[in-house]
Amino acid sequence: MSTDHLQGRAAPPAEVVPPDLRMARRIWPFLLAAAVSLLPFTVFGTFLVPIAAATGGSVAEIGGLRGLGGLAALLVGVAIAPLLDRIARELVAAYGLALLGISSLLGAVGNVFALAAFCLLIGAATSVLGPSVGAAAADRFKSEAAAGRAATLVTATTSMTAMLAAPVVALPALIWGWRGNLVAVGIISLALSGAFFYRGRGRKAPLAADSVRVGYIASYRALGRISGAVPLLLVAMLRTAAFMGYLAYLAAFYDERFELTPGWFALVWTLSGASFFVGNLLAGRYIAMDRPWIGPERMLVLALGVALLSVVAFYFAATLPLALLLTAMMGASHATVAACVTTLLVRRSGDLRGSALGVNAAGMSLGVFLGAAIGGLGLGLGGYPGTAAAFGLITAIAIAAALRVRSPLSLAKSNRV
């Protein structure tokens, strides 16, 4: 605890977080890498029907291969998380981009075995690339507030890419098809990998030399000792389960309740993606302010409360405008939760932020599986009211976990007591 006030010296003022554009200019290579990381699966999802036709398999069979990517992301993310702080961030990103590029070129082969390997390797690559570029962006700034904002800019860029990438990849495909898209993504990824490898040469790992001697299991124990880390990681997993499960059945709900065709539903998907992007961008900027009116810990709970009310009300919406409003609220509230979790993990984990973000990414991969499974169970047992109950229960548990994330001020007061 600082003793400046006891010695008559004023404490140094908190560093003002730079404007977003200035920060983006400083970390643009990491933002670019985050955007490229989504392109392979975007191509796969956008052109699933012609890809299935090329392999001779059904859409369900080929589409199911993407689950391999989630499984790989979970296993690899858990396995390598403690290692992300022991290698220079740029080198980790370079390895992830190289694997992304090789996988994309392999996917362009187009047979079932190549696509299965493509999905597995892309999942593994993104589990390495995402946390490393997020932590690297945060490392470029000294203050905790600026570091947290840099990390949320990475996630905002990722969400924006998810929203815009489908039409972007559709236009070049008119010239060279989906295989050409994958080849182009592969070439871009390998070129970026070389650039990151060049930047990473000679850079030191974030952990000091004496810290590197900490064992593998001890690294997880160190993460567990970070204030609020465990409940934050639980919130991230449960939030992902509720939101991704909700998205998995979104098209079916709009089709059954309002008879929206796929063309009209594309606008609903854009609304959801835009709400998530704007919510993530604005929430990240707000909580990066010096002394915001609502701290990230309290905002986390409030956003989860809005998410709970939105998801339960959504499945009982009787009119299309109300359903659209609740869809926008779901996107914005979950984006706010994601921004709060990322910011708090980066601020509290220090040199372990790469490990923390790696475990967080693995937990979210698990959340994708849980959300689809639990949502399907609720739908099968009780229809859409059952789905509302399932996702509502998941979100309520996330709120209980979020209440255990205490602000530094409240921790200081309890310690004095």
Side-chain angles (χ1 to χ4, degrees):
M1 180 177 178
S2 175
T3 60
D4 286 344
H5 67 289
L6 298 177
Q7 300 174 7
R9 294 195 299 268
E15 179 182 340
V16 177
V17 178
D20 287 347
L21 288 178
R22 188 185 303 171
M23 296 183 74
R25 284 196 295 267
R26 188 169 175 181
I27 61 173
W28 70 266
F30 308 116
L31 300 180
L32 179 60
V36 170
S37 69
L38 284 185
L39 292 179
F41 270 149
T42 300
V43 173
F44 183 78
T46 304
F47 300 98
L48 179 59
V49 173
I51 289 174
T55 62
S58 69
V59 170
E61 291 170 345
I62 302 302
L65 294 177
R66 182 166 180 174
L68 296 174
L71 179 61
L74 172 62
L75 296 178
V76 174
V78 171
I80 69 162
L83 307 178
L84 292 177
D85 298 310
R86 306 184 181 202
I87 306 174
R89 311 280 197 209
E90 286 83 355
L91 291 181
V92 177
Y95 299 144
L97 285 164
L99 185 57
L100 198 78
I102 294 170
S103 306
S104 298
L105 296 176
L106 182 61
V109 174
N111 61 48
V112 174
F113 298 105
L115 288 172
F118 162 82
C119 290
L120 272 170
L121 295 177
I122 291 295
T126 53
S127 70
V128 174
L129 185 57
S132 63
V133 295
D139 289 346
R140 291 297 179 270
F141 302 92
K142 294 181 179 180
S143 75
E144 293 178 349
R149 179 54 182 156
T152 59
L153 279 178
V154 173
T155 61
T157 300
T158 304
S159 62
M160 181 182 67
T161 305
M163 179 180 65
L164 299 177
V168 170
V169 300
L171 293 177
L174 296 176
I175 301 174
W176 53 42
W178 61 268
R179 282 189 171 90
N181 272 346
L182 287 179
V183 170
V185 171
I187 294 172
I188 293 171
S189 299
L190 291 174
L192 280 175
S193 174
F196 271 82
F197 186 82
Y198 180 80
R199 286 170 56 95
R201 292 184 309 166
R203 288 187 179 270
K204 295 182 179 179
L207 290 179
D210 55 346
S211 300
V212 177
R213 298 171 188 166
V214 176
Y216 185 85
I217 301 300
S219 296
Y220 274 109
R221 291 175 181 165
L223 283 175
R225 289 193 295 269
I226 296 172
S227 175
V230 173
L232 282 171
L233 293 170
L234 182 60
V235 167
M237 183 190 71
L238 294 172
R239 179 210 70 77
T240 304
F243 190 61
M244 297 306 291
Y246 147 84
L247 290 179
Y249 302 99
L250 190 63
F253 175 83
Y254 272 99
D255 175 67
E256 180 178 325
R257 183 68 56 88
F258 305 111
E259 299 182 351
L260 285 191
T261 62
W264 284 107
F265 177 73
L267 298 178
V268 177
W269 194 264
T270 301
L271 171 66
S272 178
S275 301
F276 193 97
F277 167 66
V278 173
N280 190 277
L281 186 70
L282 296 182
R285 165 50 61 176
Y286 175 78
I287 56 183
M289 293 169 52
D290 182 24
R291 300 182 183 88
W293 180 57
I294 301 177
E297 296 85 2
R298 185 179 299 179
M299 182 178 284
L300 178 66
V301 176
L302 291 176
L304 283 169
V306 174
L308 174 59
L309 293 175
S310 300
V311 75
V312 173
F314 173 77
Y315 289 103
F316 295 95
T319 64
L320 180 59
L322 178 58
L324 294 174
L325 174 62
L326 293 169
T327 291
M329 290 175 60
M330 278 288 290
S333 60
H334 277 269
T336 301
V337 175
C340 290
V341 169
T342 300
T343 298
L344 289 170
L345 282 176
V346 168
R347 287 184 181 183
R348 297 180 179 212
S349 54
D351 287 339
L352 290 173
R353 60 177 54 126
S355 302
L357 292 177
V359 175
N360 185 50
M364 289 193 294
S365 297
L366 177 60
V368 173
F369 283 97
L370 292 177
I374 295 174
L377 180 63
L379 184 62
L381 294 178
Y384 286 115
T387 307
F391 294 146
L393 178 61
I394 294 173
T395 309
I397 298 173
I399 292 176
L403 290 171
R404 298 183 61 84
V405 183
R406 303 177 65 184
S407 66
L409 181 59
S410 64
L411 284 174
K413 289 181 178 178
S414 64
N415 290 336
R416 285 198 297 268
V417 173

